[in-house]
Amino acid sequence: MQAPTGLIGPNAIIQVHHALEQLLGTPLSERVFAQAALARHLVRSPQRPVPEQEVRSLHMALRQALGESQAEAVAREAGRRTAQYLLAHRIPGPAQVLLRRLPARLALWALLRAMQPQAWTFAGSGRFTHRLVWRGPILAVLSIHNNPLCRGLQLPGPACAYYAATFEHLMRALVHAGCDVVETDCEATGATACRFEVRLARRKPM
């Protein structure tokens, strides 16, 4: 089945709401969603994929209302919550058990292969690619080309804390607890793609 065009899974909105409520409270959450013209999603959470423009507007509103530092903290918490949702509801339990039992290299390869056909749920009309590296602490490089969350942005630093936190929580849960995910390039700073290095601080036998 062909992936939908220009849509992103509803957790990109739902989990931002939950993260705002937890970290900063209801009034600020209402302010951010109103600024993004998405207040209706506070009344009834979206149950289906949403237009990527809505997700972009929400993340822009986060920066405008909170500033870069607080917006990043909210985005990271939303990303962590998104990964928790995927682990609880989208990735079958037996598959999780198998991944955790595999050597890190095989687990990473299997996880990335499984992510590829579902990449539209977070990348929308952008293009997700991955490359296994396994050189020193770097295990893989994940990329989002034409990232819908970065279109039109000009920022001094990376803007994809939501993605980095989602990837990192999944890697730590399914590949190795020592995984870190660091955004090294971002289209918001003029790069050709948003790139994330999967790094392993504590190696285990291959």
Side-chain angles (χ1 to χ4, degrees), residues 122-140:
F122 57 84
S125 61
R127 181 170 61 90
F128 173 74
T129 62
H130 63 270
R131 176 171 56 90
L132 293 173
V133 177
W134 217 260
R135 184 178 64 250
I138 303 173
L139 308 188

Side-chain angles (χ1 to χ4, degrees), residues 17 20-22 24-32 42:
H17 175 206
L20 274 167
E21 291 276 342
Q22 175 186 322
L24 299 171
T26 298
L28 204 46
S29 178
E30 292 175 346
R31 174 184 164 194
V32 169
L42 298 181

